[in-house]
Amino acid sequence: MHRPGCDPDDMRESDFLCDFCHRDWTVAAPFVEGHHGSCICRHCLETAALAPAPASDPFHCSLCLEERRDPAWSTTSARLCRRCLVQSARVLARDPDGGGTPPAGT
Ligand SMILES: [Zn+2]
Ligand SMILES: [Zn+2]
């Protein structure tokens, strides 16, 4: 997510917040951006990969915004579908700043 009140024409790393833990990019880098400015940090991806939730009622994934039922991870502020977990892990693995390895469990 983007920090409320941020200037869209002058986005800084501190204006990007992880939708799941609300830490900003400067603290929680690396980040993966989803649709509509939604973001997840590597820390949350690793946590999600190690602790996937069981299938649930239909929910809207915070990253792809699509309705899902597949195993998801959620915090009080956002929910993640399995597909986004895998895709985000791949993005991080390709990103030289992302550590070069997929998060454990993905
Ligand atoms: Zn996070
Ligand atoms: Zn998703």
Side-chain angles (χ1 to χ4, degrees):
M1 60 189 285
H2 295 161
R3 187 185 296 281
C6 65
D7 180 356
D9 295 323
D10 185 26
M11 294 296 287
R12 301 158 191 274
E13 288 187 345
S14 58
D15 288 328
F16 292 88
L17 305 181
C18 174
D19 281 62
F20 296 83
C21 66
H22 289 184
R23 285 182 289 194
D24 70 45
W25 198 327
T26 61
V27 182
F31 259 50
V32 178
E33 255 195 297
H35 291 280
H36 298 274
S38 58
C39 302
I40 187 168
C41 71
R42 181 183 175 97
H43 172 80
C44 286
L45 273 179
E46 289 183 339
T47 305
L50 294 174
S56 63
D57 294 333
F59 68 97
H60 284 91
C61 172
S62 299
L63 285 191
C64 65
L65 306 181
E66 291 174 28
E67 189 171 286
R68 300 281 178 203
R69 288 173 185 270
D70 56 344
W73 184 66
S74 62
T75 64
T76 52
S77 57
R79 302 181 90 173
L80 177 73
C81 74
R82 180 77 199 168
R83 195 183 68 164
C84 286
L85 169 62
V86 171
Q87 286 188 347
S88 299
R90 287 200 191 123
V91 169
L92 272 188
R94 280 200 306 265
D95 182 353
D97 296 328
T101 53
T106 54

